[in-house]
Amino acid sequence: DTGVSQDPRHKITKRGQNVTFRCDPISEHNRLYWYRQTLGQGPEFLTYFQNEAQLEKSRLLSDRFSAERPKGSFSTLEIQRTEQGDSAMYLCASIGFDRGGYEQYFGPGTRLTVT
Amino acid sequence: AQTVTQSQPEMSVQEAETVTLSCTYDTSESNYYLFWYKQPPSRQMILVIRQEAYKQQNATENRFSVNFQKAAKSFSLKISDSQLGDTAMYFCAFMKPARGGNEKLTFGTGTRLTIIP
């Protein structure tokens, strides 16, 4: 267990529905990342927070996606009007320093299936 | 933009043998980090080993070591005395330091490693 938690672990939804995922990073980490991982691919960067400020968004993040991190603690990722192409694993990570070096700590992910 | 390439989609090796996973990357940066992450089936991705580009010495962590060839932009992972618990997807990743800014990881497509009993 890395200390980063995500909820839910699995979500099945019908096309057109809205879904929201939650990430709880390691408490002392002020930087938080969202990645998307599709089958057979490595994770791809979606967005990044420093404390409560969303400082960068990938062009992968269409206007149907919104992310928040109120009070710089947990973060939520919402997808509106889901499409089948949104089916993927959504990973959250926070940054810390371990054994004297930089490390991103990943959560277990939320696997989204859009039917 | 940086790219990371893992040309071995799948590998398998007998338990206790040594296996090497390949990774190449492309960047114009001189200072960066490289990582190998392990993603076991249905489990969280965890860091296996990291290498700072300015360090000439190859990183080692117990049974895991890397062969970092900066000029060739190659970063391979060697697993010695492989164990059943090493069965997982392995991802090579690149990060450009940003002094507290966006230090996103750029991943390769992964290598699925199976350790055979």
Side-chain angles (χ1 to χ4, degrees):
Chain A
D1 185 357
T2 62
V4 179
S5 60
Q6 291 186 247
D7 184 69
R9 295 289 303 274
H10 303 273
K11 179 71 176 179
I12 300 173
T13 191
K14 293 185 189 296
R15 186 165 53 93
Q17 297 294 306
N18 298 344
V19 294
T20 300
F21 312 140
R22 177 180 170 126
C23 169
D24 286 87
I26 295 171
S27 58
E28 60 267 29
H29 291 178
N30 65 351
R31 285 182 285 167
L32 183 149
Y33 293 75
W34 286 96
Y35 293 85
R36 182 171 69 186
Q37 184 179 16
T38 53
L39 209 59
Q41 300 296 318
E44 295 175 286
F45 168 75
L46 289 180
T47 190
Y48 148 70
F49 287 85
Q50 184 154 338
N51 298 311
E52 66 275 9
Q54 186 176 18
L55 296 183
E56 187 169 332
K57 293 191 287 188
S58 160
R59 54 187 166 79
L60 292 176
L61 215 65
S62 75
D63 55 8
R64 297 184 297 107
F65 287 70
S66 62
E68 294 182 340
R69 192 182 182 198
K71 303 178 184 177
S73 55
F74 69 92
S75 177
T76 59
L77 178 67
E78 180 184 14
I79 309 175
Q80 296 183 326
R81 305 181 303 282
T82 52
E83 301 173 355
Q84 287 189 323
D86 297 331
S87 295
M89 175 78 86
Y90 290 84
L91 297 169
C92 172
S94 63
I95 289 183
F97 288 84
D98 179 41
R99 295 170 289 177
Y102 166 101
E103 180 171 350
Q104 283 203 17
Y105 294 83
F106 283 85
T110 294
R111 182 170 296 283
L112 173 66
T113 302
V114 182
T115 62
Chain B
Q2 285 71 228
T3 59
V4 178
T5 302
Q6 293 181 251
S7 57
Q8 304 154 312
E10 294 188 28
M11 295 186 73
S12 59
V13 66
Q14 293 288 139
E15 191 176 6
E17 291 186 348
T18 294
V19 62
T20 299
L21 280 57
S22 301
C23 172
T24 58
Y25 59 95
D26 190 25
T27 184
S28 57
E29 303 291 335
S30 59
N31 184 29
Y32 49 86
Y33 283 71
L34 294 165
F35 304 86
W36 279 98
Y37 274 87
K38 169 184 178 181
Q39 188 176 41
S42 301
R43 292 180 59 191
Q44 286 167 274
M45 191 164 340
I46 56 173
L47 179 66
V48 174
I49 198 165
R50 78 181 136 241
Q51 175 81 42
E52 292 94 332
Y54 68 87
K55 291 187 177 178
Q56 293 188 343
Q57 187 172 9
N58 289 325
T60 62
E61 285 288 344
N62 302 314
R63 298 183 296 108
F64 299 87
S65 61
V66 298
N67 183 3
F68 173 48
Q69 300 289 328
K70 191 172 183 179
K73 296 180 181 174
S74 168
F75 183 61
S76 61
L77 174 69
K78 184 170 88 169
I79 306 174
S80 304
D81 185 28
S82 56
Q83 300 174 359
L84 296 179
D86 295 334
T87 292
M89 281 290 288
Y90 286 81
F91 291 98
C92 179
F94 173 101
M95 189 274 285
K96 171 188 163 186
R99 292 190 174 273
N102 185 0
E103 293 177 321
K104 63 186 177 187
L105 296 174
T106 301
F107 288 87
T109 51
T111 295
R112 184 178 302 281
L113 176 66
T114 302
I115 308 300
I116 303 166

